[in-house]
Amino acid sequence: MRGRLRPRKRNRDRNRLARRAAVPAPAAPLWADGLSDVSIAGDPLAFPHLARTDVPAHPTTVADYARLVREIAADRDRWAPLVRYDALTRWYARLETGPGYEVWLLSWLPGQSSGLHDHGDSSGVMTVVQGELVERSLTGDGERTRTLRATGQARVFSAGYLHEMVNGALEPAVSIHLYSPGLTEMNQYRTATPELAPELP
């Protein structure tokens, strides 16, 4: 009697395993909270609202974008719980998207750098909300280096603006960046290129 039951038990086990194997694993989300340098540039077709600038209820000018960045930076309860640190790369979290723009939270451990890069066709506004960062920028007027601290001041740059950000301090840093239109490319450079975009005042 036991010999007859054993094959059926094994068949039931195999059927149970087959049913489990047939259930697909849950798909990973397309956009996680934290994104690495490799994946920050997204597919613009996945976010068609980022190309729109015709909705009056949302910011549309440089002054509007700078004001939005300052408001988000001042709301520490909004961004501070999201901060994470990655020993291998800068860390990102998307804070907000709207018609024609997106806002990112970035964290920087000591020594971490963006490398010399531009943001393609996107202009931007950024501010440091914790620690300090050193910016090396290259424009038609030459090279400039400045230290950016958590003072509430915003930096504005145009499309094609070429710069490098690095945390040269001994403490972690956090910054908030707005890109308009939403960031879809970051071009990396080893040296300066002849055609440099001007810095906005």
Side-chain angles (χ1 to χ4, degrees), residues 24-67:
L30 181 60
W31 294 99
D33 283 341
L35 298 176
S36 71
D37 283 358
V38 176
S39 59
I40 184 173
D43 178 1
L45 299 181
F47 297 94
H49 64 284
L50 294 179
R52 295 186 59 198
T53 57
D54 59 340
V55 180
H58 292 272
T60 57
T61 67
V62 171
D64 290 340
Y65 290 137
R67 182 169 58 251

Side-chain angles (χ1 to χ4, degrees), residues 15-25:
N15 291 338
R16 189 180 298 114
L17 291 173
R19 285 195 299 273
R20 288 179 183 172
V23 177

Side-chain angles (χ1 to χ4, degrees), residues 1-19:
M1 183 66 69
R2 290 181 180 174
R4 294 176 183 173
L5 293 177
R6 285 177 184 167
R8 278 183 283 197
K9 184 177 186 301
R10 286 198 298 270
N11 287 337
R12 286 198 300 271
D13 290 342
R14 282 197 295 270
N15 291 338
R16 189 180 298 114
L17 291 173
R19 285 195 299 273

